[in-house]
Amino acid sequence: MTKPVIGFIGLGLMGGNMVENLQKRGYQLNVMDLNKDAVATCVARGAKAVSSAKELAANSDIVMLCLTTSAVVEKLVYAEDGILAGIKEGSVLIDFGTSIPASTRKIGADLAKKGAGMIDAPLGRTPAHAKDGLLNIMAAGDIETFNKVKPVLDEQGENVFHLGALGAGHTTKLINNFMGMTTVCAMSQAFAVADLAGVDRQQLFDIMSAGPSNSPFMKFCKNYAVDGVSDLGFSIANANKDLGYFLKMVDDLGTESKIAEGSSANLQAAFDAGLGNGNVPEIFDYFVKLEK
């Protein structure tokens, strides 16, 4: 059976490794990115570079996006030379980024008018997992569209979940990141307060990790606050963006989250202090400087 032609936009660490994995598995790809070196790397392995999202969509059966924000996704979809202008009837757009669910549903409705489908499929795990096709993929969209692209998703993810109607994947990812990033903010501040109070950080970890608070996130925070090792691999800037999206989603649902507002305020403050490129546990450095 002939493999679908895939168009891929967004060749950062995650997207670039996803493309390499697909190429190793025999897929033909059309690629596009502002980073010309990243494009050249894919082309050297047999991909075709395209000059516009319209061209990419017109020549692909599945269009995949691995981009930074909902605003960037909407710009590529709705531009005069964008995806919507070129996408073929029967094609499917997959958004692997972390986007605002209301935006995702709007794009899906507009694609449906052209006979194209959409799946939101945010990712778990790391770029290293992407290279080996071992991601966790939180996919959502109508089941017929999901089943159409599932064979490709299965070659990209070790665990591929179908979570329901379009937008449920992005909703789940934002909830997941709200929980995770709030945990990191709380634990990092716990280490900072211990330090200011003269309590040994290692001893704090030994005590807390012996109880129900123990978690991989706690270990990431300990690795930085105690050992100086920053190994979570998720930036304060990205966490700040995702908490902002979570708050937008909560507002769209007609409710509020004071907990998320607190985490978001701390992440924004750390970002404003110049720590945005650091991994999230490095917010510890921001907290220790809050001493009055």
Side-chain angles (χ1 to χ4, degrees):
M1 188 172 178
T2 304
K3 291 179 180 288
V5 176
I6 295 172
F8 206 107
I9 305 177
L11 306 175
L13 283 176
M14 187 69 84
N17 282 354
M18 292 175 76
V19 167
E20 181 176 349
N21 171 63
L22 289 167
Q23 289 181 291
K24 284 189 298 187
R25 295 172 187 267
Y27 288 90
Q28 177 59 46
L29 279 101
N30 300 309
V31 296
M32 179 178 163
D33 195 273
L34 294 175
N35 185 331
K36 301 307 178 188
D37 290 338
V39 172
T41 297
C42 297
V43 169
R45 292 194 299 259
K48 178 183 177 183
V50 297
S51 59
S52 72
K54 179 180 179 180
E55 179 188 352
L56 180 139
N59 290 283
S60 304
D61 302 306
I62 301 173
V63 177
M64 297 180 175
L65 307 179
C66 194
L67 300 166
T68 53
T69 68
S70 283
V72 172
V73 171
E74 289 199 13
K75 182 177 179 180
L76 279 164
V77 169
Y78 291 110
E80 187 175 339
D81 59 351
I83 292 167
L84 197 60
I87 200 160
K88 303 180 295 185
E89 184 176 353
S91 295
V92 178
L93 173 66
I94 304 176
D95 181 5
F96 288 118
T98 302
S99 299
I100 299 170
S103 172
T104 300
R105 290 189 288 268
K106 178 181 73 172
I107 292 169
D110 290 334
L111 287 167
K113 294 172 186 175
K114 295 200 69 173
M118 183 173 182
I119 296 292
D120 56 312
L123 307 169
R125 295 187 171 171
T126 69
H129 291 101
K131 184 176 288 191
D132 295 328
L134 297 174
L135 293 165
N136 288 333
I137 301 178
M138 296 166 254
D142 75 76
I143 193 65
E144 183 179 346
T145 304
F146 172 75
N147 287 335
K148 181 186 289 189
V149 299
K150 189 174 185 294
V152 182
L153 294 177
D154 283 338
E155 298 204 80
Q156 296 171 289
E158 181 178 24
N159 301 298
V160 179
F161 304 93
H162 182 253
L163 300 173
L166 187 67
H170 284 146
T171 298
T172 303
K173 179 66 183 291
L174 290 175
I175 294 170
N176 179 75
N177 284 14
F178 154 68
M179 182 65 187
M181 296 308 99
T182 296
T183 301
V184 173
C185 286
M187 193 65 225
S188 295
Q189 186 155 43
F191 280 120
V193 171
D195 194 66
L196 295 172
V199 173
D200 183 80
R201 286 176 247 158
Q202 178 66 55
Q203 286 185 324
L204 177 68
F205 174 76
D206 292 342
I207 292 166
M208 293 189 70
S209 63
S213 294
N214 191 26
S215 71
F217 277 127
M218 178 184 281
K219 290 183 174 68
F220 282 125
C221 294
K222 177 263 183 184
N223 289 347
Y224 186 72
V226 177
D227 303 324
V229 176
S230 187
D231 57 352
L232 176 55
F234 192 70
S235 74
I236 288 172
N238 279 335
N240 186 43
K241 184 264 291 185
D242 287 357
L243 262 291
Y245 281 4
F246 178 83
L247 286 168
K248 175 66 170 67
M249 179 179 76
V250 164
D251 184 64
D252 288 343
L253 292 170
T255 186
E256 63 180 6
S257 172
K258 295 297 185 185
I259 296 172
E261 288 173 13
S263 298
S264 180
N266 284 316
L267 289 163
Q268 183 65 53
F271 180 86
D272 292 341
L275 300 176
N277 290 331
N279 289 328
V280 184
E282 294 177 45
I283 198 171
F284 169 80
D285 294 333
Y286 166 73
F287 287 132
V288 294
K289 293 175 181 176
L290 288 180
E291 183 178 9
K292 301 285 186 192

